[in-house]
Amino acid sequence: MAKQSIKTTTDQAKGDELGTILSTGAEEFQKRFPLTFAALSKLDAEGADPRKAVLRVSAKSAGFRRGGISHPAGQTDYPLSDFRDPAHLEAILAEPELVAEITVAEPADAE
């Protein structure tokens, strides 16, 4: 499974968007981003370490684009901390051409 970091060229104002949205409260976040809210709530209920949270994605067709990313056919983990706009997460989670979930990264195998 590949681990990939998202490279963005967005300005600082866009990077602050997540903080602004989260400051509106859980109810507003849930209304605007129901799939993301449900996935994050599930991790929280399981007591998962949020620093290890990843968006795990596989595209049904290699190169399919959603959320500003061209997704490979193989399973890829994107650190959740790389996403500054929850609308991108929501779009990826809602896309039927992608198999996506928010989960906790598995530790790398020691060699």
Side-chain angles (χ1 to χ4, degrees):
M1 166 180 13
K3 282 194 178 183
Q4 190 169 351
S5 207
I6 299 169
K7 306 287 188 240
T8 61
T9 57
T10 58
D11 59 17
Q12 186 61 36
K14 282 212 171 220
D16 292 337
E17 186 173 340
L18 181 59
T20 302
I21 290 168
L22 292 175
S23 70
T24 63
E27 188 174 308
E28 180 66 19
F29 189 88
Q30 182 178 14
K31 187 183 343 176
R32 292 179 65 186
F33 310 107
L35 298 173
T36 304
F37 182 84
L40 293 175
S41 295
K42 180 181 177 220
L43 286 182
D44 187 49
E46 293 170 351
D49 183 348
R51 294 171 298 178
K52 295 180 182 177
V54 296
L55 177 66
R56 183 165 291 155
V57 182
S58 315
K60 293 180 181 176
S61 302
F64 184 82
R65 293 191 63 81
R66 187 63 71 230
I69 305 167
S70 177
H71 301 279
Q75 186 171 296
T76 304
D77 284 355
Y78 301 97
L80 210 54
S81 60
D82 284 356
F83 290 89
R84 299 291 181 244
D85 184 351
H88 287 169
L89 284 172
E90 194 70 15
I92 292 168
L93 290 169
E95 178 55 57
E97 290 298 315
L98 299 172
V99 177
E101 67 175 331
I102 296 176
T103 189
V104 175
E106 299 160 2
D109 292 334
E111 292 185 33

XYZ file of all heavy atoms in Angstrom:
831
model
N 0.852 -1.162 0.000
C 0.000 0.000 0.000
C 0.901 1.228 0.000
O 1.824 1.332 0.766
C -0.889 -0.049 1.237
C -1.572 1.210 1.548
S -2.622 1.129 3.022
C -2.176 -0.358 3.807
N 0.592 2.143 -0.884
C 1.394 3.362 -1.001
C 0.932 4.391 0.009
O -0.247 4.497 0.314
C 1.254 3.916 -2.407
N 1.899 5.130 0.527
C 1.571 6.286 1.355
C 1.958 7.495 0.546
O 3.026 7.536 -0.043
C 2.344 6.271 2.669
C 1.764 5.334 3.666
C 2.330 5.580 5.015
C 1.649 4.629 5.992
N 2.077 4.828 7.335
N 1.080 8.463 0.476
C 1.328 9.609 -0.362
C 0.960 10.870 0.382
O -0.041 10.917 1.070
C 0.498 9.479 -1.637
C 0.822 10.474 -2.688
C 0.155 10.114 -3.997
O -0.411 9.048 -4.142
N 0.213 11.004 -4.934
N 1.787 11.866 0.216
C 1.510 13.165 0.803
C 0.947 14.048 -0.294
O 1.388 13.967 -1.435
C 2.799 13.769 1.359
O 2.520 14.626 2.404
N -0.020 14.851 0.036
C -0.638 15.722 -0.947
C 0.156 17.014 -1.019
O 0.397 17.660 -0.009
C -2.094 16.021 -0.557
C -2.886 14.721 -0.499
C -2.726 16.993 -1.533
C -4.235 14.871 0.106
N 0.550 17.376 -2.216
C 1.253 18.636 -2.436
C 0.229 19.664 -2.900
O -0.448 19.446 -3.892
C 2.333 18.479 -3.504
C 3.296 17.353 -3.231
C 4.238 17.705 -2.111
C 5.304 16.651 -1.983
N 5.379 15.989 -0.753
N 0.104 20.739 -2.169
C -0.847 21.768 -2.557
C -0.137 23.091 -2.745
O 0.912 23.334 -2.178
C -1.950 21.956 -1.498
O -1.325 22.352 -0.287
C -2.735 20.682 -1.276
N -0.725 23.938 -3.561
C -0.178 25.277 -3.787
C -1.178 26.326 -3.331
O -1.145 27.453 -3.787
C 0.151 25.479 -5.275
O -1.031 25.256 -6.034
C 1.241 24.537 -5.735
N -2.076 25.941 -2.435
C -3.083 26.876 -1.968
C -2.462 27.909 -1.046
O -1.455 27.659 -0.398
C -4.212 26.143 -1.196
O -3.626 25.444 -0.122
C -4.952 25.186 -2.114
N -3.073 29.065 -0.992
C -2.548 30.113 -0.120
C -2.947 29.871 1.329
O -3.734 28.974 1.634
C -3.035 31.494 -0.590
C -4.550 31.604 -0.614
O -5.232 30.772 0.005
O -5.056 32.531 -1.249
N -2.401 30.641 2.239
C -2.634 30.455 3.672
C -4.105 30.587 4.025
O -4.609 29.876 4.880
C -1.801 31.453 4.486
C -1.885 31.233 5.980
C -1.382 29.865 6.415
O -0.434 29.341 5.852
N -2.010 29.277 7.401
N -4.828 31.468 3.355
C -6.249 31.654 3.660
C -7.016 30.357 3.458
O -7.875 30.002 4.258
C -6.843 32.759 2.795
N -6.710 29.615 2.396
C -7.377 28.336 2.170
C -7.003 27.340 3.258
O -7.817 26.542 3.677
C -7.012 27.780 0.801
C -7.760 28.435 -0.303
C -7.974 27.448 -1.389
C -8.905 28.055 -2.394
N -9.837 27.138 -2.897
N -5.763 27.385 3.714
C -5.321 26.487 4.770
C -6.060 26.722 6.073
O -6.194 25.834 6.896
N -6.553 27.926 6.263
C -7.285 28.258 7.479
C -8.764 27.882 7.398
O -9.480 27.983 8.380
C -7.174 29.756 7.772
C -5.761 30.147 8.156
O -5.007 29.264 8.603
O -5.416 31.322 7.997
N -9.221 27.437 6.225
C -10.641 27.148 6.041
C -11.133 26.058 6.995
O -12.211 26.178 7.570
C -10.905 26.723 4.596
C -12.372 26.540 4.306
C -12.629 26.276 2.845
O -11.797 26.584 1.991
O -13.715 25.745 2.568
N -10.358 24.999 7.191
C -10.786 23.922 8.081
C -10.998 24.435 9.492
O -11.998 24.126 10.129
C -9.768 22.779 8.067
C -10.107 21.575 8.944
C -11.438 20.965 8.543
C -9.011 20.537 8.851
N -10.070 25.245 9.995
C -10.217 25.818 11.331
C -11.466 26.664 11.452
O -12.176 26.608 12.453
N -11.768 27.417 10.420
C -12.970 28.251 10.416
C -14.223 27.388 10.459
O -15.142 27.645 11.226
C -13.003 29.143 9.163
O -11.824 29.937 9.155
C -14.230 30.020 9.136
N -14.237 26.334 9.655
C -15.408 25.449 9.611
C -15.585 24.732 10.942
O -16.688 24.650 11.473
C -15.284 24.449 8.452
C -15.433 25.199 7.126
C -16.329 23.352 8.553
C -15.059 24.408 5.920
N -14.493 24.223 11.492
C -14.594 23.509 12.765
C -15.041 24.428 13.885
O -15.720 23.999 14.809
C -13.264 22.843 13.110
C -12.857 21.683 12.211
C -11.472 21.189 12.576
C -13.868 20.559 12.268
N -14.678 25.698 13.808
C -15.079 26.630 14.861
C -16.572 26.938 14.803
O -17.116 27.490 15.751
C -14.257 27.922 14.774
O -14.620 28.657 13.631
N -17.255 26.572 13.713
C -18.693 26.799 13.628
C -19.472 25.798 14.468
O -20.654 25.971 14.679
C -19.195 26.727 12.170
O -18.968 25.407 11.677
C -18.535 27.749 11.300
N -18.818 24.739 14.896
C -19.468 23.770 15.758
C -19.780 22.467 15.063
O -19.869 22.391 13.833
N -19.951 21.434 15.867
C -20.178 20.085 15.355
C -21.468 19.977 14.559
O -21.515 19.287 13.542
C -20.181 19.087 16.508
N -22.501 20.662 14.994
C -23.788 20.552 14.298
C -23.694 21.081 12.865
O -24.182 20.446 11.929
C -24.859 21.322 15.073
C -26.253 21.111 14.531
C -27.287 21.780 15.421
O -27.282 21.540 16.634
O -28.091 22.549 14.867
N -23.054 22.223 12.696
C -22.883 22.801 11.361
C -21.963 21.927 10.514
O -22.218 21.693 9.332
C -22.320 24.224 11.458
C -22.114 24.899 10.121
C -23.396 25.177 9.355
O -24.490 25.193 9.961
O -23.302 25.382 8.132
N -20.884 21.416 11.103
C -19.964 20.528 10.386
C -20.701 19.278 9.922
O -20.557 18.849 8.784
C -18.776 20.163 11.280
C -17.680 19.437 10.555
C -16.671 20.136 9.921
C -17.662 18.053 10.507
C -15.657 19.469 9.244
C -16.657 17.377 9.833
C -15.650 18.088 9.200
N -21.521 18.698 10.798
C -22.281 17.492 10.452
C -23.256 17.770 9.305
O -23.420 16.933 8.421
C -23.033 16.969 11.661
C -23.800 15.693 11.371
C -24.514 15.144 12.594
O -24.651 15.825 13.602
N -24.939 13.919 12.509
N -23.869 18.934 9.318
C -24.825 19.282 8.271
C -24.125 19.446 6.920
O -24.621 18.982 5.905
C -25.548 20.582 8.628
C -26.662 20.919 7.670
C -27.403 22.211 7.895
C -27.278 22.869 9.205
N -27.968 24.163 9.278
N -22.963 20.090 6.922
C -22.253 20.380 5.674
C -21.458 19.194 5.147
O -21.276 19.053 3.936
C -21.328 21.573 5.870
C -22.100 22.871 6.080
C -21.214 24.050 6.300
N -20.408 24.331 5.112
C -19.463 25.251 5.087
N -19.201 25.974 6.162
N -18.772 25.461 3.995
N -20.955 18.341 6.048
C -20.067 17.244 5.667
C -20.465 15.955 6.392
O -19.718 15.446 7.230
C -18.611 17.613 5.999
C -18.208 18.965 5.489
C -18.054 20.025 6.374
C -18.013 19.204 4.146
C -17.706 21.282 5.918
C -17.657 20.453 3.668
C -17.502 21.495 4.555
N -21.638 15.400 6.081
C -22.145 14.262 6.855
C -21.271 13.006 6.794
O -21.122 12.314 7.803
C -23.537 14.003 6.262
C -23.497 14.631 4.903
C -22.559 15.798 5.016
N -20.698 12.684 5.653
C -19.866 11.479 5.553
C -18.567 11.640 6.340
O -18.131 10.719 7.030
C -19.559 11.168 4.083
C -20.775 10.867 3.206
C -20.364 10.746 1.746
C -21.481 9.611 3.684
N -17.966 12.802 6.223
C -16.734 13.080 6.957
C -17.003 13.073 8.454
O -16.247 12.482 9.235
C -16.145 14.432 6.518
O -15.946 14.406 5.093
C -14.833 14.727 7.208
N -18.088 13.706 8.863
C -18.454 13.750 10.278
C -18.657 12.338 10.825
O -18.154 11.994 11.901
C -19.714 14.588 10.488
C -20.109 14.718 11.924
C -19.533 15.689 12.725
C -21.041 13.866 12.499
C -19.875 15.814 14.060
C -21.396 13.977 13.833
C -20.810 14.957 14.616
N -19.380 11.501 10.080
C -19.644 10.129 10.533
C -18.344 9.330 10.669
O -18.151 8.616 11.654
C -20.596 9.434 9.567
N -17.447 9.474 9.690
C -16.186 8.725 9.737
C -15.308 9.186 10.895
O -14.714 8.361 11.599
C -15.441 8.882 8.408
N -15.237 10.490 11.106
C -14.423 11.010 12.209
C -15.036 10.668 13.563
O -14.314 10.367 14.517
C -14.243 12.520 12.068
C -13.416 12.969 10.866
C -13.420 14.492 10.759
C -12.012 12.426 10.917
N -16.359 10.679 13.655
C -17.043 10.305 14.898
C -16.783 8.847 15.245
O -16.588 8.495 16.408
C -18.544 10.553 14.778
O -18.803 11.927 14.626
N -16.765 7.993 14.213
C -16.500 6.569 14.428
C -15.084 6.377 14.988
O -14.883 5.620 15.947
C -16.661 5.801 13.122
C -16.406 4.325 13.250
C -16.567 3.620 11.912
C -16.230 2.155 12.091
N -15.489 1.609 10.990
N -14.092 7.067 14.390
C -12.724 6.971 14.902
C -12.646 7.452 16.339
O -11.969 6.847 17.174
C -11.763 7.792 14.041
C -11.399 7.240 12.677
C -10.397 8.169 11.992
C -10.831 5.842 12.777
N -13.326 8.548 16.628
C -13.324 9.098 17.975
C -13.932 8.103 18.962
O -13.398 7.882 20.047
C -14.082 10.427 17.999
C -13.978 11.129 19.331
O -12.851 11.259 19.857
O -15.032 11.554 19.858
N -15.048 7.476 18.580
C -15.717 6.504 19.451
C -14.835 5.281 19.699
O -14.909 4.666 20.765
C -17.048 6.070 18.828
N -13.987 4.947 18.725
C -13.085 3.803 18.870
C -11.830 4.168 19.661
O -10.992 3.312 19.930
C -12.680 3.281 17.493
C -13.833 2.665 16.725
C -13.488 2.364 15.278
O -12.398 2.782 14.801
O -14.307 1.729 14.604
N -11.693 5.446 20.000
C -10.526 5.893 20.743
C -9.255 5.924 19.912
O -8.146 5.824 20.445
N -9.400 6.070 18.596
C -8.245 6.069 17.697
C -7.400 7.323 17.886
O -7.907 8.385 18.240
C -8.723 5.988 16.250
N -6.113 7.180 17.640
C -5.180 8.301 17.712
C -5.370 9.160 16.463
O -5.074 8.703 15.353
C -3.749 7.773 17.776
C -2.707 8.872 17.933
O -3.045 10.059 17.773
O -1.549 8.532 18.208
N -5.866 10.393 16.587
C -6.135 11.222 15.411
C -4.885 11.546 14.601
O -4.972 11.822 13.413
C -6.774 12.485 15.989
C -6.421 12.492 17.423
C -6.199 11.069 17.831
N -3.708 11.467 15.223
C -2.466 11.740 14.487
C -2.145 10.638 13.491
O -1.353 10.820 12.583
C -1.308 11.911 15.467
C -1.463 13.149 16.345
C -0.432 13.162 17.416
N -0.663 11.970 18.256
C 0.068 11.615 19.290
N 1.112 12.323 19.624
N -0.221 10.545 19.997
N -2.777 9.467 13.650
C -2.532 8.347 12.741
C -3.662 8.180 11.723
O -3.660 7.227 10.948
C -2.372 7.056 13.538
C -1.148 7.068 14.431
C -1.028 5.784 15.197
C 0.181 5.831 16.120
N 0.282 4.626 16.940
N -4.612 9.102 11.716
C -5.749 9.000 10.810
C -5.313 9.249 9.368
O -4.522 10.146 9.092
C -6.842 9.991 11.201
N -5.829 8.409 8.477
C -5.539 8.528 7.049
C -6.830 8.379 6.253
O -7.800 7.784 6.726
C -4.527 7.460 6.564
C -3.171 7.637 7.223
C -5.052 6.055 6.764
N -6.799 8.920 5.057
C -7.855 8.666 4.095
C -7.314 7.573 3.186
O -6.312 7.771 2.496
C -8.187 9.923 3.292
C -9.239 9.732 2.205
C -10.601 9.400 2.817
C -9.333 10.970 1.334
N -7.914 6.399 3.216
C -7.478 5.248 2.411
C -8.370 5.193 1.176
O -9.588 5.092 1.294
C -7.605 3.975 3.236
C -7.109 2.745 2.517
C -6.921 1.593 3.471
N -5.788 1.916 4.337
C -5.625 1.414 5.558
N -6.511 0.590 6.062
N -4.566 1.746 6.274
N -7.746 5.262 0.008
C -8.500 5.373 -1.248
C -7.961 4.406 -2.288
O -6.755 4.243 -2.436
C -8.390 6.813 -1.829
C -9.213 6.951 -3.106
C -8.826 7.851 -0.820
N -8.874 3.793 -3.043
C -8.559 3.037 -4.262
C -9.538 3.504 -5.323
O -10.735 3.610 -5.057
C -8.770 1.540 -4.108
O -8.264 1.036 -2.940
N -9.014 3.769 -6.512
C -9.880 4.167 -7.628
C -10.292 2.922 -8.407
O -9.505 1.990 -8.567
C -9.146 5.133 -8.545
N -11.523 2.907 -8.876
C -11.968 1.799 -9.722
C -11.310 1.894 -11.094
O -11.122 0.885 -11.759
C -13.489 1.802 -9.832
C -14.158 1.486 -8.497
C -15.657 1.491 -8.595
C -16.278 1.194 -7.235
N -17.735 1.279 -7.268
N -10.955 3.123 -11.501
C -10.218 3.366 -12.745
C -8.999 4.202 -12.392
O -9.138 5.301 -11.852
C -11.075 4.144 -13.741
O -12.264 3.462 -14.023
N -7.798 3.692 -12.675
C -6.563 4.408 -12.346
C -6.584 5.810 -12.941
O -6.995 6.016 -14.078
C -5.355 3.639 -12.862
N -6.167 6.773 -12.137
C -6.085 8.154 -12.595
C -7.359 8.960 -12.388
O -7.401 10.143 -12.722
N -8.389 8.336 -11.832
C -9.641 9.061 -11.589
C -9.369 10.213 -10.631
O -8.700 10.052 -9.621
C -10.693 8.116 -11.005
C -12.033 8.764 -10.810
C -12.905 8.883 -11.860
C -12.396 9.275 -9.578
C -14.140 9.497 -11.696
C -13.615 9.887 -9.397
C -14.493 9.997 -10.459
N -9.880 11.401 -10.963
C -9.633 12.593 -10.156
C -10.853 12.980 -9.326
O -11.958 13.018 -9.826
C -9.261 13.780 -11.047
C -7.934 13.619 -11.739
C -7.497 14.900 -12.384
N -7.267 15.974 -11.425
C -6.166 16.133 -10.704
N -5.173 15.283 -10.830
N -6.045 17.138 -9.860
N -10.582 13.256 -8.060
C -11.609 13.795 -7.163
C -10.872 14.403 -5.983
O -9.854 13.895 -5.539
C -12.566 12.697 -6.688
C -13.757 13.184 -5.891
C -14.681 14.112 -6.704
N -15.399 13.369 -7.723
C -15.461 13.745 -9.009
N -14.870 14.818 -9.433
N -16.127 13.025 -9.872
N -11.389 15.512 -5.485
C -10.803 16.167 -4.323
C -9.420 16.738 -4.595
O -8.604 16.838 -3.689
N -9.153 17.081 -5.854
C -7.859 17.655 -6.207
C -6.733 16.650 -6.334
O -5.564 17.026 -6.381
N -7.063 15.351 -6.411
C -6.044 14.296 -6.456
C -6.374 13.318 -7.582
O -7.531 12.946 -7.764
C -6.010 13.506 -5.128
C -5.820 14.439 -3.951
C -4.934 12.432 -5.156
C -6.089 13.780 -2.613
N -5.343 12.894 -8.301
C -5.479 11.808 -9.270
C -5.190 10.512 -8.508
O -4.075 10.310 -8.028
C -4.479 11.998 -10.415
O -4.563 10.916 -11.305
N -6.189 9.666 -8.390
C -6.076 8.470 -7.546
C -5.643 7.253 -8.355
O -6.224 6.959 -9.395
C -7.420 8.175 -6.871
C -7.898 9.296 -6.026
N -7.434 9.510 -4.744
C -8.781 10.296 -6.275
C -8.009 10.580 -4.253
N -8.832 11.076 -5.155
N -4.645 6.503 -7.865
C -4.249 5.264 -8.538
C -5.245 4.149 -8.237
O -6.062 4.257 -7.316
C -2.882 4.944 -7.929
C -2.894 5.613 -6.598
C -3.788 6.813 -6.728
N -5.159 3.078 -9.019
C -6.051 1.941 -8.796
C -5.699 1.214 -7.496
O -6.566 0.678 -6.829
C -5.991 0.975 -9.972
N -4.442 1.222 -7.130
C -4.021 0.556 -5.889
C -4.411 1.358 -4.669
O -4.664 2.559 -4.733
N -4.471 0.691 -3.556
C -4.831 1.341 -2.288
C -3.750 2.328 -1.874
O -2.572 1.995 -1.866
C -5.010 0.262 -1.224
C -5.519 0.775 0.091
C -5.860 -0.376 1.003
O -6.746 -1.153 0.715
N -5.147 -0.493 2.098
N -4.151 3.546 -1.558
C -3.221 4.595 -1.158
C -3.735 5.269 0.097
O -4.924 5.542 0.219
C -3.085 5.658 -2.276
O -2.689 5.006 -3.480
C -2.063 6.711 -1.920
N -2.830 5.519 1.035
C -3.166 6.237 2.264
C -2.678 7.674 2.141
O -1.512 7.902 1.816
C -2.512 5.596 3.477
C -3.195 4.320 3.908
O -4.237 3.956 3.352
O -2.670 3.676 4.832
N -3.564 8.612 2.412
C -3.224 10.030 2.461
C -3.381 10.486 3.907
O -4.466 10.299 4.488
C -4.166 10.853 1.584
C -4.158 10.447 0.130
C -5.134 9.591 -0.369
C -3.184 10.932 -0.736
C -5.133 9.223 -1.702
C -3.186 10.567 -2.067
C -4.166 9.714 -2.553
O -4.162 9.345 -3.870
N -2.352 11.073 4.504
C -2.514 11.572 5.876
C -3.684 12.558 5.938
O -3.796 13.450 5.096
C -1.192 12.275 6.173
C -0.221 11.679 5.205
C -1.014 11.338 3.978
N -4.551 12.363 6.888
C -5.713 13.225 7.018
C -5.303 14.677 7.247
O -5.992 15.594 6.820
C -6.597 12.724 8.165
C -8.082 12.977 8.052
C -8.654 12.446 6.762
C -8.801 12.381 9.226
N -4.165 14.856 7.876
C -3.683 16.210 8.145
C -3.333 16.982 6.877
O -3.214 18.203 6.914
C -2.463 16.154 9.064
O -1.431 15.412 8.447
N -3.197 16.286 5.734
C -2.902 16.968 4.474
C -4.120 17.680 3.895
O -3.977 18.527 3.022
C -2.394 15.972 3.425
C -0.956 15.556 3.663
O -0.315 16.087 4.595
O -0.477 14.687 2.912
N -5.300 17.328 4.359
C -6.521 17.921 3.815
C -6.883 19.177 4.590
O -7.088 19.129 5.794
C -7.679 16.925 3.861
C -7.506 15.795 2.897
C -6.833 14.644 3.271
C -7.986 15.886 1.608
C -6.644 13.604 2.391
C -7.809 14.853 0.702
C -7.137 13.714 1.093
N -6.953 20.292 3.894
C -7.287 21.569 4.523
C -8.751 21.944 4.285
O -9.296 22.769 4.987
C -6.397 22.688 3.978
C -4.925 22.450 4.236
C -4.628 22.582 5.721
N -3.217 22.381 5.981
C -2.738 21.390 6.705
N -3.543 20.518 7.248
N -1.449 21.271 6.907
N -9.348 21.324 3.294
C -10.731 21.641 2.941
C -11.589 20.389 3.124
O -11.428 19.422 2.380
C -10.791 22.132 1.495
C -12.170 22.580 1.065
O -13.150 22.358 1.810
O -12.274 23.161 -0.026
N -12.474 20.375 4.112
C -13.285 19.168 4.332
C -14.200 18.843 3.155
O -14.647 17.713 3.017
C -14.082 19.482 5.600
C -13.979 20.945 5.792
C -12.746 21.409 5.106
N -14.446 19.807 2.266
C -15.245 19.528 1.069
C -14.526 18.523 0.173
O -15.175 17.712 -0.501
C -15.545 20.813 0.312
N -13.180 18.548 0.160
C -12.432 17.560 -0.619
C -12.620 16.169 -0.035
O -12.838 15.209 -0.778
C -10.947 17.912 -0.654
C -10.628 19.080 -1.518
N -9.400 19.678 -1.516
C -11.377 19.780 -2.407
C -9.405 20.683 -2.372
N -10.603 20.771 -2.911
N -12.551 16.045 1.276
C -12.792 14.747 1.923
C -14.195 14.244 1.612
O -14.388 13.081 1.261
C -12.638 14.862 3.444
C -11.234 14.953 3.998
C -11.283 15.254 5.489
C -10.478 13.674 3.743
N -15.152 15.132 1.732
C -16.548 14.754 1.492
C -16.744 14.276 0.060
O -17.422 13.273 -0.189
C -17.472 15.945 1.800
C -18.921 15.584 1.909
C -19.281 14.770 3.144
O -18.488 14.687 4.106
O -20.393 14.207 3.163
N -16.130 14.981 -0.900
C -16.255 14.598 -2.310
C -15.649 13.228 -2.568
O -16.213 12.410 -3.306
C -15.586 15.655 -3.198
N -14.508 12.957 -1.958
C -13.853 11.663 -2.137
C -14.680 10.550 -1.493
O -14.910 9.499 -2.098
C -12.420 11.697 -1.565
C -11.549 12.627 -2.418
C -11.830 10.293 -1.483
C -10.211 12.968 -1.795
N -15.163 10.774 -0.280
C -15.968 9.755 0.403
C -17.284 9.473 -0.321
O -17.782 8.344 -0.290
C -16.249 10.193 1.845
C -15.041 10.190 2.782
C -15.388 10.893 4.093
C -14.552 8.775 3.040
N -17.841 10.469 -0.984
C -19.135 10.318 -1.658
C -19.015 9.765 -3.078
O -20.025 9.357 -3.656
C -19.853 11.670 -1.704
N -17.821 9.736 -3.632
C -17.629 9.365 -5.035
C -17.765 7.857 -5.252
O -16.998 7.071 -4.698
C -16.251 9.828 -5.506
C -15.928 9.458 -6.926
C -16.973 9.931 -7.912
O -17.239 11.150 -7.964
O -17.527 9.078 -8.633
N -18.734 7.436 -6.091
C -18.917 6.001 -6.336
C -17.778 5.350 -7.127
O -17.622 4.132 -7.075
C -20.233 5.908 -7.104
C -20.573 7.288 -7.514
C -19.780 8.242 -6.707
N -16.954 6.130 -7.820
C -15.820 5.579 -8.564
C -14.603 5.313 -7.677
O -13.591 4.807 -8.152
C -15.428 6.507 -9.716
C -16.444 6.534 -10.835
C -16.630 5.164 -11.496
O -15.616 4.490 -11.774
O -17.787 4.763 -11.701
N -14.726 5.685 -6.396
C -13.641 5.475 -5.445
C -14.122 4.606 -4.287
O -15.278 4.688 -3.883
C -13.150 6.812 -4.876
C -12.574 7.820 -5.865
C -12.321 9.151 -5.168
C -11.298 7.286 -6.487
N -13.220 3.794 -3.772
C -13.460 3.079 -2.526
C -12.628 3.842 -1.499
O -11.400 3.869 -1.594
C -13.014 1.606 -2.622
C -13.200 0.910 -1.292
C -13.765 0.893 -3.738
N -13.305 4.513 -0.559
C -12.595 5.388 0.373
C -13.127 5.233 1.784
O -14.323 5.015 1.983
C -12.736 6.837 -0.080
N -12.210 5.372 2.730
C -12.588 5.349 4.141
C -11.562 6.136 4.935
O -10.399 6.249 4.545
C -12.665 3.918 4.678
C -11.318 3.220 4.726
C -11.369 1.838 5.367
O -12.219 1.595 6.233
O -10.519 1.010 5.000
N -12.003 6.684 6.042
C -11.091 7.308 6.985
C -10.824 6.273 8.058
O -11.747 5.720 8.654
C -11.689 8.602 7.587
C -11.876 9.639 6.482
C -10.777 9.142 8.682
C -12.557 10.918 6.930
N -9.554 5.983 8.264
C -9.167 4.919 9.178
C -7.838 5.296 9.851
O -7.341 6.388 9.654
C -9.071 3.560 8.439
O -8.889 2.525 9.370
C -7.979 3.553 7.395
N -7.294 4.377 10.603
C -6.006 4.591 11.243
C -4.951 3.831 10.460
O -5.160 2.671 10.100
C -6.040 4.119 12.723
C -4.668 4.219 13.350
C -7.053 4.930 13.500
N -3.829 4.487 10.193
C -2.753 3.855 9.417
C -2.204 2.671 10.182
O -2.031 2.706 11.403
C -1.651 4.857 9.152
N -1.942 1.606 9.455
C -1.329 0.424 10.050
C 0.168 0.691 10.174
O 0.759 1.309 9.295
C -1.582 -0.789 9.153
C -3.056 -1.079 8.993
C -3.367 -1.916 7.774
O -2.433 -2.316 7.044
O -4.546 -2.171 7.528
N 0.788 0.233 11.252
C 2.240 0.444 11.391
C 2.988 -0.234 10.247
O 2.601 -1.310 9.799
C 2.587 -0.183 12.729
C 1.323 -0.670 13.325
C 0.216 -0.501 12.344
N 4.039 0.418 9.801
C 4.870 -0.173 8.738
C 5.550 -1.417 9.279
O 5.947 -1.487 10.439
C 5.913 0.840 8.274
N 5.654 -2.435 8.427
C 6.313 -3.686 8.833
C 7.792 -3.416 9.061
O 8.447 -2.772 8.248
C 6.157 -4.754 7.757
C 4.718 -5.224 7.607
O 3.972 -5.116 8.609
O 4.346 -5.683 6.529
N 8.292 -3.910 10.165
C 9.730 -3.778 10.438
C 10.469 -4.800 9.596
O 10.078 -5.958 9.495
C 10.007 -4.013 11.919
N 11.553 -4.357 8.965
C 12.309 -5.277 8.125
C 13.607 -5.618 8.761
O 14.225 -4.916 9.435
C 12.551 -4.644 6.761
C 11.242 -4.504 6.010
C 11.462 -3.992 4.587
O 12.499 -4.313 3.983
O 10.606 -3.288 4.091
